[in-house]
């Protein structure tokens, strides 16, 4: 093929590379990117914090509840947190677009809060979680799950003990 033929073919074909950043770039659905956290599903077990090899996840107790922070700058996108989370409260999106100015590095954080609440039975302050429901037999209905979450650990145990299970 001579030069003119190649030149004409390339003109007809157009660019073969991605137009990014002026257009969308192909991203596989299963790409392991930015972490997303759903506080409403979290049990506060802190397994994700323990299995994170980069120490990118931190929980802290505050007067409002337990805060969750995941530092995107530190995360190595290994997927351990999602793999070990028992409630699907943490997962990796396929968002890889995390470039940022150095001055913004402290903004590159996924924040979450598991709020404190007042137990509907005894009035004690407790985290809005339901760590005991995994082993409930038969499994809890969505209404029962909400009722368990609305109680403190002691009252949750009582609620589960007195639960009427169909014969
Ligand atoms: S996100 Fe999952 S693994 Fe992490 S504390 Fe919550 S329930 Fe546990
Ligand atoms: S993907 Fe890996 S490095 Fe990133 S927060 Fe999860 S466990 Fe940590």
């Amino acid at each position: 093929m001579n030069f003119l033929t190649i030149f004409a073919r390339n003109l007809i074909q157009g660019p073969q590379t991605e137009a990014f950043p002026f257009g969308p770039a192909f991203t596989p659905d299963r790409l392991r990117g930015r972490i997303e956290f759903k506080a409403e599903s979290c049990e506060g077990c802190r397994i994700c914090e323990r299995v994170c090899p980069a120490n990118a996840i931190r929980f802290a107790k505050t007067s409002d509840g337990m805060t969750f922070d995941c530092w995107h700058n530190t995360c190595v996108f290994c997927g351990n947190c999602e793999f070990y989370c028992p409630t699907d409260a943490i997962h990796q999106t396929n968002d890889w677009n995390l470039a940022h100015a150095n001055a913004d590095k402290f903004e590159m954080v996924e924040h979450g809060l598991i709020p404190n609440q007042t137990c509907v039975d005894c009035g004690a302050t407790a985290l809005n979680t339901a760590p005991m429901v995994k082993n409930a037999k038969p499994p809890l209905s969505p209404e029962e799950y909400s009722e368990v979450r609305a109680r403190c650990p002691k009252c949750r145990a009582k609620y589960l003990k007195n639960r009427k299970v169909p014969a």
Side-chain angles (χ1 to χ4, degrees), residues 48-63:
C48 52
E49 189 181 40
R50 286 201 291 278
V51 299
C52 177
N55 287 330
I57 295 177
R58 278 281 173 272
F59 283 92
K61 285 188 181 151
T62 70
S63 53

Side-chain angles (χ1 to χ4, degrees), residues 35 48 51-54 56-57 70 75-81 92:
I35 292 297
C48 52
V51 299
C52 177
I57 295 177
C70 176
C75 173
V76 294
F77 310 106
C78 66
N80 265 5
C81 52
Q92 280 184 287

Side-chain angles (χ1 to χ4, degrees), residues 71-74 98-109:
W71 296 88
H72 295 314
N73 262 1
T74 314
L98 295 167
H100 58 279
N102 200 34
D104 297 335
K105 66 182 177 187
F106 294 117
E107 305 300 316
M108 300 299 293
V109 186

